[in-house]
Amino acid sequence: MQESNININTPFSFNAGLTSLLSKISEVLIYTDTNGIIRDFTGSIFNYCPVSRKEEIINKKITNLFTIKDNNKNILEINHILNQKNLAETNYCINMNANPELYFPLIINTDFDQQNNKRGIFFLINTNIKRNLENNSPKIYQNSKLQNKTAPNIHVSDKDKFFSLIAHDLKSPFTGLLSYTEFLKNDFNELSDYEKKEYIDNIYKITSDIYELLENLIAWSRIQTNRLFYEPEVFNLTSLVNKVLSLYKFSARMKNINFVIELADPCNVYADQNMIYSVIRNLISNAVKFSNENNKIEISEIQKENCVEITVTDYGIGISDENKSKLFRFDLSFTTSGTKNESGSGLGLLIAKELIEINKGHITVESEQGKGSKFTFTIPTIAGE
């Protein structure tokens, strides 16, 4: 029997009728090609696994994201699954969440084309039944899932204070957003083109700030619940920095701030690219937020043995000695307005510290009030143990 595999570049999705039907049940259905590459799935999967975006699943190998076992508790790779006889009659189980001992029953069946060639595999997960395996089963994303990384023991009162700050940081921009949209709605014809552009620019900035805060909240929740994937790879840090800077061109232009990049190209590092992207995004965001007008922000590097040291320098309002001691601390979190009254909860720096440490680096700060701040972190350039 031949295999009729689907080209990974060819768009694939369940038809509308099947999608509508599956949306009404709690079971999870995943469809892969014959190489085990995920092509589509039902949305209910987000209720049971530590991801929140479709792009984190589509075009990923199912046995890399989830652990599949047979009746004898053997871990199965995709080629073993395809070679099984009586595939649909065999009992399997799958681990989809951060509890390495919690598995769901799994039914696997082959999809054939009209010529009876294998073209894909269906994985139907019964999420109504949970099984605890006796042996020590592997974590999600074997050999890549965060290990020995536990969330800090945070006092309830500290959490209350923290979430109060977050609630305030969410409410404030929405108040401004409502005001600007109300002006545009009620007085659109009376406003000049200059005023309309000014309002739209402000709306864009506010929504960008809200999105950034929500991104940080998602990252923070994953760290705290050990639902974060650590996938180190070699990549060009300079390209990543340029990608981040493109997000802040508008904010920098509003303050007439220049970015000065002093990085080798390529500047190759070994780390989780998504995590380092989040770190740089938070540091650049803060640098822009707390810089004065007509200034510059520098991103520089120092090559060291087995690592590179990256420094983000601004010449803005700086941080007092008292507040420096509160940085990277959940229990002593504080909020400071930017030079254009931009809000900030300090969450970004908490996340940056956690992510840098996950990537086997460290982060430090030098700052003088009224003169600016310098945040320095290290990233490995070679794979560790």
Side-chain angles (χ1 to χ4, degrees):
M1 184 179 296
Q2 295 181 344
E3 291 186 0
S4 176
N5 209 352
I6 303 170
N7 188 314
I8 194 170
N9 296 316
T10 303
F12 174 88
S13 61
F14 296 136
N15 65 53
L18 182 59
T19 300
S20 176
L21 172 65
L22 292 171
S23 68
K24 295 176 173 62
I25 63 175
S26 60
E27 285 80 1
V28 173
L29 181 64
I30 301 174
Y31 184 80
T32 76
D33 62 19
T34 54
N35 292 318
I37 304 300
I38 298 174
R39 305 310 311 282
D40 203 0
F41 57 89
T42 54
S44 54
I45 195 172
F46 295 122
N47 297 327
Y48 304 99
C49 69
V51 293
S52 60
R53 296 179 299 176
K54 188 168 185 176
E55 55 266 31
E56 295 179 81
I57 299 178
I58 289 294
N59 294 335
K60 299 292 178 66
K61 199 168 186 177
I62 189 170
T63 49
N64 284 347
L65 287 176
F66 311 120
T67 302
I68 300 174
K69 290 191 173 185
D70 60 17
N71 269 343
N72 298 320
K73 301 177 183 177
N74 298 314
I75 301 173
L76 301 179
E77 291 297 330
I78 197 67
N79 58 317
H80 298 143
I81 295 170
L82 284 172
N83 292 331
Q84 292 274 342
K85 294 182 178 179
N86 302 319
L87 194 61
E89 299 174 12
T90 306
N91 292 322
Y92 302 94
C93 56
I94 186 169
N95 177 293
M96 293 198 300
N97 66 15
N99 184 343
E101 298 181 354
L102 191 61
Y103 279 73
F104 297 97
L106 172 67
I107 297 173
I108 306 175
N109 212 338
T110 308
D111 180 31
F112 296 95
D113 62 18
Q114 293 180 347
Q115 286 74 44
N116 206 33
N117 297 320
K118 290 182 183 178
R119 65 177 180 184
I121 315 168
F122 288 104
F123 295 82
L124 181 63
I125 304 165
N126 186 352
T127 54
N128 296 310
I129 303 173
K130 299 176 183 179
R131 294 172 52 189
N132 285 292
L133 300 188
E134 295 176 359
N135 66 324
N136 292 323
S137 53
K139 305 250 192 280
I140 303 172
Y141 219 105
Q142 191 181 10
N143 296 327
S144 294
K145 178 74 172 69
L146 297 178
Q147 300 191 29
N148 304 319
K149 179 71 180 173
T150 56
N153 185 18
I154 301 170
H155 195 273
V156 173
S157 62
D158 293 328
K159 282 186 177 180
D160 290 344
K161 176 185 176 184
F162 179 76
F163 285 117
S164 175
L165 288 172
I166 294 298
H168 177 268
D169 283 344
L170 276 173
K171 183 179 179 180
S172 295
F174 272 111
T175 301
L177 193 61
L178 287 170
S179 296
Y180 285 121
T181 52
E182 184 179 11
F183 275 124
L184 287 172
K185 175 178 176 291
N186 296 333
D187 304 320
F188 186 84
N189 293 329
E190 287 74 32
L191 294 171
S192 66
D193 288 345
Y194 175 83
E195 289 173 319
K196 290 174 185 176
K197 184 180 183 306
E198 185 180 22
Y199 286 177
I200 292 170
D201 285 345
N202 286 327
I203 288 171
Y204 173 80
K205 183 182 180 304
I206 291 170
T207 51
S208 297
D209 290 343
I210 294 171
Y211 180 78
E212 182 179 298
L213 178 57
L214 291 176
E215 283 277 286
N216 281 335
L217 283 172
I218 291 170
W220 179 251
S221 69
R222 288 182 179 177
I223 292 170
Q224 297 306 303
T225 55
N226 290 326
R227 297 189 304 147
L228 197 66
F229 291 116
Y230 170 53
E231 302 179 75
E233 60 180 323
V234 176
F235 64 91
N236 183 2
L237 183 67
T238 303
S239 296
L240 191 68
V241 167
N242 284 325
K243 182 178 178 181
V244 173
L245 294 182
S246 67
L247 297 175
Y248 294 95
K249 281 183 178 179
F250 175 79
S251 300
R253 190 167 65 245
M254 294 286 287
K255 291 184 175 183
N256 195 28
I257 293 171
N258 291 321
F259 292 122
V260 179
I261 306 173
E262 299 173 346
L263 303 174
D265 192 8
C267 175
N268 291 328
V269 297
Y270 182 79
D272 184 296
Q273 190 166 180
N274 289 329
M275 293 186 189
I276 301 304
Y277 177 88
S278 182
V279 171
I280 297 171
R281 179 176 58 79
N282 277 303
L283 294 182
I284 296 297
S285 174
N286 279 352
V288 172
K289 188 181 299 181
F290 299 113
S291 285
N292 295 308
E293 293 183 338
N294 306 313
N295 224 309
K296 66 179 178 178
I297 294 170
E298 298 170 347
I299 304 97
S300 59
E301 64 155 303
I302 298 177
Q303 290 287 338
K304 297 196 170 184
E305 185 178 3
N306 298 338
C307 75
V308 62
E309 188 177 87
I310 304 297
T311 300
V312 177
T313 304
D314 70 68
Y315 300 90
I317 60 178
I319 308 168
S320 68
D321 290 338
E322 178 186 358
N323 284 336
K324 263 192 291 185
S325 64
K326 298 177 183 178
L327 294 177
F328 312 118
R329 293 278 301 274
F330 185 94
D331 56 327
L332 296 176
S333 58
F334 68 99
T335 180
T336 304
S337 296
T339 54
K340 289 286 188 181
N341 295 317
E342 304 98 325
S343 62
S345 62
L347 179 60
L349 289 180
L350 285 171
I351 292 171
K353 180 177 183 293
E354 293 275 358
L355 296 182
I356 286 297
E357 290 177 354
I358 288 170
N359 283 274
K360 302 176 178 60
H362 63 271
I363 185 169
T364 58
V365 59
E366 299 175 33
S367 187
E368 186 175 348
Q369 197 163 17
K371 293 189 176 180
S373 301
K374 181 184 294 187
F375 286 86
T376 301
F377 63 93
T378 58
I379 315 177
T381 51
I382 60 172
E385 296 296 326

